[in-house]
Amino acid sequence: MISAEIINSLINLQRSAVASANPPFSAVIVADGNIISACHNVSRSSGNPLEHAEMSAIQSAVKNHGSAILKNAHLISSNEPCPMCIGACIWSGIAEVTYFISQEQVEAVRGWGRFMPARSIAEADDSGIVVNGPIENEMMLQMHRDFWSNGSNSAFKHSIHLADK
């Protein structure tokens, strides 16, 4: 079970992402019962397509705690990790990933974004990473409805980092 503290953290991070003109994706990393890293997507404001919430959370955890901490870590994301992000979780040695909003839910909202499911990528790998989700959360999903229906936010497809600022 994901604690209310973590859920609230993810929702607040989604709000921060939207407030900085980024898509509402967020992630936290928990180790030894504590949040050691919390980030939101900044790909649009930075112009860097690699700055997804999960990627940034992993980088922050390594920078502040060292890479060994990830072996027993749990990454929790507002959304199903994309192939790049689940790959980073696998390669960094994260033991478990849990997400709330599925790629199918986001695709239904914005009209694009179908990709190989995180669980399928994890199952194809021999790392033993566990992928849990989706977990329904209406507030997290509503942030996607609001963001992707606003202006031209859904027009840039996978190159969302190139959208007008």
Side-chain angles (χ1 to χ4, degrees):
M1 175 131 184
I2 306 300
S3 72
E5 174 192 10
I6 291 171
I7 293 169
N8 289 334
S9 180
L10 289 169
I11 290 169
N12 288 332
L13 287 163
Q14 282 186 292
R15 287 184 182 127
S16 294
V18 172
S20 60
N22 290 289
F25 298 100
S26 60
V28 299
I29 297 179
V30 176
D32 299 322
N34 298 306
I35 296 175
I36 62 165
S37 182
C39 296
H40 62 76
N41 184 301
V42 294
S43 64
R44 187 172 284 183
S45 61
S46 71
N48 183 342
L50 303 179
E51 292 197 49
H52 289 198
E54 299 92 339
M55 299 287 284
S56 296
I58 292 167
Q59 290 173 350
S60 175
V62 169
K63 179 180 179 184
N64 294 313
H65 302 280
S67 60
I69 200 166
L70 297 176
K71 293 231 176 251
N72 296 312
H74 184 182
L75 184 140
I76 304 161
S77 180
S78 61
N79 293 76
E80 181 174 0
C82 73
M84 174 180 70
C85 292
I86 195 65
C89 291
I90 291 167
W91 281 102
S92 65
I94 290 174
E96 185 174 7
V97 172
T98 300
Y99 65 91
F100 284 84
I101 308 303
S102 72
Q103 62 164 315
E104 291 87 1
Q105 290 172 294
V106 175
E107 179 188 24
V109 168
R110 67 183 177 190
W112 61 270
R114 185 97 170 110
F115 49 80
M116 183 178 242
R119 184 172 285 106
S120 296
I121 294 170
E123 288 171 353
D125 187 78
D126 65 357
S127 66
I129 190 171
V130 175
V131 177
N132 307 300
I135 301 170
E136 294 299 318
N137 186 292
E138 183 58 32
M139 190 175 292
M140 289 182 195
L141 184 57
Q142 186 61 47
M143 280 196 235
H144 281 281
R145 290 184 192 113
D146 294 344
F147 181 83
W148 296 109
S149 64
N150 185 13
S152 64
N153 281 338
S154 65
F156 290 87
K157 296 201 174 182
H158 293 291
S159 298
I160 58 175
H161 60 283
L162 299 176
D164 295 332
K165 294 179 184 171

Short mmCIF file of all heavy atoms in Angstrom, two decimals, residues 14-73:
data_model
loop_
_atom_site.label_atom_id
_atom_site.label_comp_id
_atom_site.label_asym_id
_atom_site.label_seq_id
_atom_site.Cartn_x
_atom_site.Cartn_y
_atom_site.Cartn_z
N GLN A 14 3.20 16.87 -9.42
CA GLN A 14 2.47 17.06 -10.68
C GLN A 14 2.06 18.52 -10.82
O GLN A 14 2.19 19.10 -11.90
CB GLN A 14 1.23 16.18 -10.73
CG GLN A 14 1.48 14.73 -11.06
CD GLN A 14 0.16 14.00 -11.22
OE1 GLN A 14 -0.57 13.81 -10.26
NE2 GLN A 14 -0.14 13.60 -12.44
N ARG A 15 1.57 19.11 -9.74
CA ARG A 15 1.18 20.52 -9.78
C ARG A 15 2.37 21.41 -10.10
O ARG A 15 2.26 22.37 -10.88
CB ARG A 15 0.57 20.93 -8.44
CG ARG A 15 -0.81 20.38 -8.20
CD ARG A 15 -1.39 20.89 -6.89
NE ARG A 15 -2.70 20.31 -6.67
CZ ARG A 15 -3.08 19.69 -5.58
NH1 ARG A 15 -2.24 19.56 -4.54
NH2 ARG A 15 -4.29 19.19 -5.46
N SER A 16 3.51 21.10 -9.52
CA SER A 16 4.73 21.87 -9.80
C SER A 16 5.14 21.73 -11.26
O SER A 16 5.60 22.71 -11.87
CB SER A 16 5.88 21.41 -8.89
OG SER A 16 5.60 21.71 -7.55
N ALA A 17 5.00 20.54 -11.79
CA ALA A 17 5.32 20.33 -13.20
C ALA A 17 4.45 21.23 -14.08
O ALA A 17 4.96 21.95 -14.95
CB ALA A 17 5.13 18.87 -13.59
N VAL A 18 3.16 21.18 -13.86
CA VAL A 18 2.23 21.99 -14.66
C VAL A 18 2.50 23.47 -14.46
O VAL A 18 2.47 24.25 -15.43
CB VAL A 18 0.77 21.62 -14.31
CG1 VAL A 18 -0.21 22.57 -14.98
CG2 VAL A 18 0.48 20.18 -14.74
N ALA A 19 2.78 23.90 -13.23
CA ALA A 19 3.05 25.31 -12.95
C ALA A 19 4.28 25.81 -13.70
O ALA A 19 4.39 27.00 -14.00
CB ALA A 19 3.22 25.53 -11.45
N SER A 20 5.20 24.90 -14.03
CA SER A 20 6.39 25.27 -14.79
C SER A 20 6.27 24.88 -16.26
O SER A 20 7.27 24.75 -16.96
CB SER A 20 7.64 24.65 -14.16
OG SER A 20 7.55 23.24 -14.13
N ALA A 21 5.01 24.71 -16.73
CA ALA A 21 4.68 24.43 -18.13
C ALA A 21 5.16 23.07 -18.63
O ALA A 21 5.38 22.87 -19.81
CB ALA A 21 5.20 25.54 -19.05
N ASN A 22 5.29 22.12 -17.70
CA ASN A 22 5.70 20.76 -18.04
C ASN A 22 4.53 19.81 -17.88
O ASN A 22 3.60 20.07 -17.12
CB ASN A 22 6.86 20.33 -17.14
CG ASN A 22 8.12 21.08 -17.46
OD1 ASN A 22 8.73 20.84 -18.49
ND2 ASN A 22 8.51 21.99 -16.58
N PRO A 23 4.56 18.66 -18.56
CA PRO A 23 3.51 17.65 -18.40
C PRO A 23 3.46 17.13 -16.97
O PRO A 23 4.49 17.08 -16.29
CB PRO A 23 3.91 16.55 -19.38
CG PRO A 23 4.82 17.20 -20.35
CD PRO A 23 5.54 18.27 -19.59
N PRO A 24 2.29 16.71 -16.50
CA PRO A 24 2.10 16.31 -15.10
C PRO A 24 2.58 14.89 -14.77
O PRO A 24 1.79 14.00 -14.43
CB PRO A 24 0.59 16.45 -14.91
CG PRO A 24 0.02 16.18 -16.26
CD PRO A 24 1.03 16.75 -17.23
N PHE A 25 3.87 14.70 -14.87
CA PHE A 25 4.48 13.42 -14.51
C PHE A 25 5.38 13.65 -13.30
O PHE A 25 6.15 14.61 -13.27
CB PHE A 25 5.33 12.87 -15.67
CG PHE A 25 4.54 12.60 -16.92
CD1 PHE A 25 4.54 13.49 -17.97
CD2 PHE A 25 3.79 11.43 -17.04
CE1 PHE A 25 3.82 13.24 -19.13
CE2 PHE A 25 3.06 11.17 -18.20
CZ PHE A 25 3.09 12.08 -19.24
N SER A 26 5.30 12.75 -12.32
CA SER A 26 6.11 12.88 -11.12
C SER A 26 6.57 11.52 -10.63
O SER A 26 5.96 10.50 -10.95
CB SER A 26 5.32 13.61 -10.02
OG SER A 26 4.14 12.89 -9.69
N ALA A 27 7.65 11.52 -9.83
CA ALA A 27 8.19 10.27 -9.29
C ALA A 27 8.91 10.53 -7.98
O ALA A 27 9.53 11.59 -7.81
CB ALA A 27 9.14 9.62 -10.29
N VAL A 28 8.82 9.56 -7.09
CA VAL A 28 9.60 9.58 -5.86
C VAL A 28 10.33 8.24 -5.75
O VAL A 28 9.89 7.23 -6.30
CB VAL A 28 8.74 9.82 -4.59
CG1 VAL A 28 8.03 11.17 -4.67
CG2 VAL A 28 7.76 8.71 -4.36
N ILE A 29 11.43 8.27 -5.03
CA ILE A 29 12.15 7.04 -4.71
C ILE A 29 12.17 6.90 -3.20
O ILE A 29 12.51 7.84 -2.48
CB ILE A 29 13.57 7.03 -5.30
CG1 ILE A 29 13.51 7.07 -6.82
CG2 ILE A 29 14.34 5.79 -4.81
CD1 ILE A 29 14.85 7.10 -7.52
N VAL A 30 11.76 5.72 -2.74
CA VAL A 30 11.71 5.41 -1.31
C VAL A 30 12.76 4.34 -1.02
O VAL A 30 12.85 3.33 -1.72
CB VAL A 30 10.30 4.91 -0.92
CG1 VAL A 30 10.26 4.49 0.54
CG2 VAL A 30 9.25 5.98 -1.21
N ALA A 31 13.55 4.59 0.02
CA ALA A 31 14.52 3.60 0.50
C ALA A 31 14.47 3.62 2.02
O ALA A 31 14.42 4.70 2.63
CB ALA A 31 15.92 3.93 0.00
N ASP A 32 14.46 2.47 2.61
CA ASP A 32 14.39 2.34 4.08
C ASP A 32 13.22 3.13 4.66
O ASP A 32 13.34 3.74 5.73
CB ASP A 32 15.71 2.79 4.72
CG ASP A 32 16.89 1.94 4.25
OD1 ASP A 32 16.71 0.72 4.10
OD2 ASP A 32 17.97 2.51 4.02
N GLY A 33 12.10 3.15 3.94
CA GLY A 33 10.90 3.81 4.42
C GLY A 33 10.86 5.32 4.28
O GLY A 33 9.91 5.97 4.72
N ASN A 34 11.90 5.90 3.68
CA ASN A 34 11.98 7.35 3.53
C ASN A 34 12.04 7.76 2.07
O ASN A 34 12.68 7.08 1.25
CB ASN A 34 13.24 7.89 4.23
CG ASN A 34 13.23 7.62 5.71
OD1 ASN A 34 12.28 7.97 6.40
ND2 ASN A 34 14.27 6.97 6.19
N ILE A 35 11.40 8.88 1.75
CA ILE A 35 11.53 9.44 0.41
C ILE A 35 12.92 10.03 0.31
O ILE A 35 13.29 10.94 1.06
CB ILE A 35 10.46 10.52 0.14
CG1 ILE A 35 9.06 9.91 0.16
CG2 ILE A 35 10.74 11.20 -1.20
CD1 ILE A 35 7.92 10.92 0.03
N ILE A 36 13.73 9.50 -0.61
CA ILE A 36 15.11 10.00 -0.77
C ILE A 36 15.26 10.87 -2.01
O ILE A 36 16.28 11.52 -2.19
CB ILE A 36 16.13 8.85 -0.81
CG1 ILE A 36 15.89 7.92 -2.00
CG2 ILE A 36 16.12 8.08 0.52
CD1 ILE A 36 17.04 6.99 -2.31
N SER A 37 14.24 10.87 -2.86
CA SER A 37 14.29 11.66 -4.08
C SER A 37 12.86 11.89 -4.54
O SER A 37 12.03 10.99 -4.47
CB SER A 37 15.09 10.91 -5.15
OG SER A 37 15.19 11.66 -6.32
N ALA A 38 12.58 13.11 -5.01
CA ALA A 38 11.25 13.46 -5.50
C ALA A 38 11.41 14.47 -6.63
O ALA A 38 11.99 15.54 -6.43
CB ALA A 38 10.42 14.04 -4.37
N CYS A 39 10.89 14.13 -7.80
CA CYS A 39 11.08 14.99 -8.97
C CYS A 39 9.84 14.99 -9.85
O CYS A 39 9.03 14.07 -9.79
CB CYS A 39 12.27 14.50 -9.81
SG CYS A 39 13.85 14.60 -8.94
N HIS A 40 9.74 16.00 -10.70
CA HIS A 40 8.70 16.04 -11.72
C HIS A 40 9.35 16.24 -13.07
O HIS A 40 10.53 16.59 -13.17
CB HIS A 40 7.65 17.12 -11.43
CG HIS A 40 8.17 18.52 -11.41
ND1 HIS A 40 8.48 19.23 -12.56
CD2 HIS A 40 8.42 19.36 -10.39
CE1 HIS A 40 8.89 20.43 -12.24
NE2 HIS A 40 8.87 20.54 -10.91
N ASN A 41 8.58 16.00 -14.11
CA ASN A 41 9.06 16.17 -15.47
C ASN A 41 9.43 17.63 -15.71
O ASN A 41 8.68 18.53 -15.36
CB ASN A 41 7.94 15.74 -16.44
CG ASN A 41 8.35 15.78 -17.89
OD1 ASN A 41 8.72 16.82 -18.41
ND2 ASN A 41 8.25 14.65 -18.56
N VAL A 42 10.60 17.85 -16.30
CA VAL A 42 11.02 19.20 -16.70
C VAL A 42 11.48 19.22 -18.15
O VAL A 42 12.19 20.13 -18.57
CB VAL A 42 12.11 19.78 -15.76
CG1 VAL A 42 11.57 20.02 -14.37
CG2 VAL A 42 13.34 18.91 -15.74
N SER A 43 11.06 18.23 -18.93
CA SER A 43 11.55 18.12 -20.31
C SER A 43 11.17 19.32 -21.16
O SER A 43 11.93 19.74 -22.03
CB SER A 43 11.06 16.83 -20.96
OG SER A 43 9.65 16.84 -21.07
N ARG A 44 10.01 19.88 -20.93
CA ARG A 44 9.58 21.02 -21.75
C ARG A 44 10.31 22.29 -21.35
O ARG A 44 10.81 23.02 -22.20
CB ARG A 44 8.07 21.20 -21.64
CG ARG A 44 7.55 22.24 -22.61
CD ARG A 44 6.06 22.29 -22.64
NE ARG A 44 5.54 21.15 -23.39
CZ ARG A 44 4.28 20.94 -23.64
NH1 ARG A 44 3.37 21.79 -23.20
NH2 ARG A 44 3.89 19.89 -24.31
N SER A 45 10.38 22.59 -20.06
CA SER A 45 11.03 23.83 -19.63
C SER A 45 12.54 23.79 -19.85
O SER A 45 13.16 24.83 -20.08
CB SER A 45 10.71 24.15 -18.17
OG SER A 45 11.16 23.12 -17.32
N SER A 46 13.14 22.61 -19.80
CA SER A 46 14.59 22.49 -20.02
C SER A 46 14.94 22.29 -21.49
O SER A 46 16.08 22.54 -21.88
CB SER A 46 15.14 21.30 -19.22
OG SER A 46 14.73 20.08 -19.80
N GLY A 47 13.98 21.82 -22.28
CA GLY A 47 14.27 21.48 -23.67
C GLY A 47 15.01 20.16 -23.81
O GLY A 47 15.42 19.79 -24.90
N ASN A 48 15.16 19.42 -22.71
CA ASN A 48 15.90 18.16 -22.72
C ASN A 48 14.91 17.00 -22.64
O ASN A 48 14.26 16.80 -21.61
CB ASN A 48 16.86 18.12 -21.53
CG ASN A 48 17.71 16.87 -21.50
OD1 ASN A 48 17.40 15.88 -22.15
ND2 ASN A 48 18.78 16.92 -20.74
N PRO A 49 14.79 16.20 -23.71
CA PRO A 49 13.81 15.12 -23.73
C PRO A 49 14.10 14.00 -22.73
O PRO A 49 13.25 13.14 -22.51
CB PRO A 49 13.89 14.60 -25.17
CG PRO A 49 15.27 14.94 -25.61
CD PRO A 49 15.60 16.25 -24.94
N LEU A 50 15.27 14.00 -22.10
CA LEU A 50 15.61 12.96 -21.14
C LEU A 50 15.19 13.31 -19.72
O LEU A 50 15.29 12.46 -18.83
CB LEU A 50 17.11 12.70 -21.16
CG LEU A 50 17.70 12.31 -22.52
CD1 LEU A 50 19.20 12.10 -22.40
CD2 LEU A 50 17.02 11.09 -23.09
N GLU A 51 14.71 14.50 -19.50
CA GLU A 51 14.40 14.94 -18.14
C GLU A 51 12.98 14.57 -17.71
O GLU A 51 12.20 15.42 -17.31
CB GLU A 51 14.70 16.43 -17.97
CG GLU A 51 16.20 16.67 -18.04
CD GLU A 51 16.62 18.01 -17.49
OE1 GLU A 51 16.19 18.34 -16.37
OE2 GLU A 51 17.37 18.70 -18.18
N HIS A 52 12.70 13.26 -17.79
CA HIS A 52 11.45 12.72 -17.27
C HIS A 52 11.58 12.62 -15.76
O HIS A 52 12.68 12.58 -15.21
CB HIS A 52 11.19 11.34 -17.85
CG HIS A 52 10.82 11.35 -19.29
ND1 HIS A 52 10.21 10.27 -19.89
CD2 HIS A 52 10.97 12.29 -20.27
CE1 HIS A 52 9.99 10.54 -21.17
NE2 HIS A 52 10.45 11.76 -21.42
N ALA A 53 10.45 12.55 -15.08
CA ALA A 53 10.44 12.51 -13.61
C ALA A 53 11.28 11.34 -13.07
O ALA A 53 12.07 11.52 -12.14
CB ALA A 53 9.01 12.41 -13.11
N GLU A 54 11.10 10.17 -13.65
CA GLU A 54 11.82 8.98 -13.16
C GLU A 54 13.32 9.12 -13.36
O GLU A 54 14.11 8.79 -12.47
CB GLU A 54 11.32 7.71 -13.88
CG GLU A 54 9.85 7.42 -13.66
CD GLU A 54 8.93 8.02 -14.71
OE1 GLU A 54 9.32 8.99 -15.40
OE2 GLU A 54 7.80 7.52 -14.83
N MET A 55 13.72 9.61 -14.53
CA MET A 55 15.15 9.79 -14.82
C MET A 55 15.77 10.77 -13.83
O MET A 55 16.85 10.53 -13.28
CB MET A 55 15.35 10.29 -16.24
CG MET A 55 14.82 9.36 -17.33
SD MET A 55 15.83 7.90 -17.54
CE MET A 55 17.21 8.61 -18.45
N SER A 56 15.08 11.88 -13.59
CA SER A 56 15.58 12.90 -12.67
C SER A 56 15.63 12.37 -11.23
O SER A 56 16.57 12.67 -10.48
CB SER A 56 14.72 14.15 -12.74
OG SER A 56 14.81 14.74 -14.03
N ALA A 57 14.62 11.59 -10.84
CA ALA A 57 14.60 11.03 -9.49
C ALA A 57 15.77 10.08 -9.27
O ALA A 57 16.41 10.10 -8.21
CB ALA A 57 13.27 10.33 -9.23
N ILE A 58 16.06 9.25 -10.27
CA ILE A 58 17.19 8.32 -10.16
C ILE A 58 18.49 9.11 -10.05
O ILE A 58 19.34 8.83 -9.18
CB ILE A 58 17.23 7.35 -11.36
CG1 ILE A 58 16.03 6.40 -11.30
CG2 ILE A 58 18.55 6.57 -11.38
CD1 ILE A 58 15.80 5.62 -12.59
N GLN A 59 18.67 10.10 -10.92
CA GLN A 59 19.90 10.90 -10.90
C GLN A 59 20.07 11.61 -9.56
O GLN A 59 21.17 11.66 -9.00
CB GLN A 59 19.90 11.89 -12.06
CG GLN A 59 20.06 11.22 -13.39
CD GLN A 59 19.89 12.17 -14.56
OE1 GLN A 59 19.48 13.32 -14.42
NE2 GLN A 59 20.23 11.69 -15.75
N SER A 60 18.99 12.16 -9.02
CA SER A 60 19.05 12.85 -7.74
C SER A 60 19.41 11.89 -6.60
O SER A 60 20.23 12.22 -5.74
CB SER A 60 17.71 13.53 -7.46
OG SER A 60 17.69 14.11 -6.18
N ALA A 61 18.81 10.71 -6.61
CA ALA A 61 19.10 9.71 -5.57
C ALA A 61 20.57 9.31 -5.61
O ALA A 61 21.23 9.22 -4.56
CB ALA A 61 18.20 8.49 -5.74
N VAL A 62 21.09 9.08 -6.81
CA VAL A 62 22.50 8.69 -6.94
C VAL A 62 23.41 9.82 -6.48
O VAL A 62 24.38 9.60 -5.73
CB VAL A 62 22.81 8.26 -8.39
CG1 VAL A 62 24.31 8.11 -8.61
CG2 VAL A 62 22.08 6.97 -8.74
N LYS A 63 23.10 11.03 -6.90
CA LYS A 63 23.93 12.19 -6.53
C LYS A 63 23.96 12.40 -5.02
O LYS A 63 25.01 12.68 -4.45
CB LYS A 63 23.39 13.44 -7.21
CG LYS A 63 24.16 14.70 -6.89
CD LYS A 63 23.59 15.91 -7.59
CE LYS A 63 24.35 17.16 -7.22
NZ LYS A 63 23.76 18.36 -7.82
N ASN A 64 22.81 12.25 -4.37
CA ASN A 64 22.72 12.57 -2.95
C ASN A 64 22.96 11.40 -2.00
O ASN A 64 23.24 11.61 -0.82
CB ASN A 64 21.35 13.18 -2.65
CG ASN A 64 21.18 14.52 -3.31
OD1 ASN A 64 22.07 15.37 -3.24
ND2 ASN A 64 20.07 14.72 -4.00
N HIS A 65 22.83 10.15 -2.51
CA HIS A 65 22.93 9.00 -1.62
C HIS A 65 23.85 7.89 -2.13
O HIS A 65 24.06 6.91 -1.42
CB HIS A 65 21.53 8.40 -1.38
CG HIS A 65 20.57 9.39 -0.80
ND1 HIS A 65 20.54 9.71 0.53
CD2 HIS A 65 19.61 10.14 -1.40
CE1 HIS A 65 19.60 10.62 0.75
NE2 HIS A 65 19.01 10.89 -0.41
N GLY A 66 24.34 8.01 -3.36
CA GLY A 66 25.15 6.96 -3.95
C GLY A 66 24.29 5.90 -4.61
O GLY A 66 23.12 5.72 -4.24
N SER A 67 24.83 5.22 -5.59
CA SER A 67 24.05 4.27 -6.38
C SER A 67 23.67 3.00 -5.62
O SER A 67 22.66 2.36 -5.94
CB SER A 67 24.79 3.90 -7.66
OG SER A 67 26.03 3.30 -7.34
N ALA A 68 24.40 2.63 -4.60
CA ALA A 68 24.11 1.39 -3.87
C ALA A 68 22.74 1.42 -3.21
O ALA A 68 22.10 0.37 -3.06
CB ALA A 68 25.19 1.12 -2.83
N ILE A 69 22.25 2.60 -2.85
CA ILE A 69 20.95 2.70 -2.18
C ILE A 69 19.80 2.23 -3.06
O ILE A 69 18.76 1.80 -2.58
CB ILE A 69 20.70 4.14 -1.66
CG1 ILE A 69 19.64 4.11 -0.56
CG2 ILE A 69 20.34 5.08 -2.79
CD1 ILE A 69 19.55 5.38 0.25
N LEU A 70 20.01 2.27 -4.37
CA LEU A 70 18.94 1.90 -5.30
C LEU A 70 18.63 0.41 -5.30
O LEU A 70 17.55 0.00 -5.71
CB LEU A 70 19.27 2.38 -6.71
CG LEU A 70 19.38 3.90 -6.87
CD1 LEU A 70 19.80 4.24 -8.29
CD2 LEU A 70 18.08 4.59 -6.49
N LYS A 71 19.55 -0.42 -4.85
CA LYS A 71 19.33 -1.87 -4.87
C LYS A 71 18.11 -2.30 -4.05
O LYS A 71 17.50 -3.31 -4.34
CB LYS A 71 20.57 -2.60 -4.38
CG LYS A 71 21.73 -2.44 -5.32
CD LYS A 71 22.31 -3.76 -5.66
CE LYS A 71 23.40 -3.60 -6.67
NZ LYS A 71 23.03 -4.10 -7.96
N ASN A 72 17.79 -1.53 -3.01
CA ASN A 72 16.63 -1.84 -2.18
C ASN A 72 15.57 -0.75 -2.27
O ASN A 72 14.73 -0.62 -1.39
CB ASN A 72 17.05 -2.03 -0.71
CG ASN A 72 17.96 -3.22 -0.56
OD1 ASN A 72 17.66 -4.30 -1.06
ND2 ASN A 72 19.08 -3.03 0.10
N ALA A 73 15.62 0.02 -3.34
CA ALA A 73 14.72 1.16 -3.48
C ALA A 73 13.43 0.80 -4.22
O ALA A 73 13.36 -0.18 -4.96
CB ALA A 73 15.42 2.29 -4.22
#
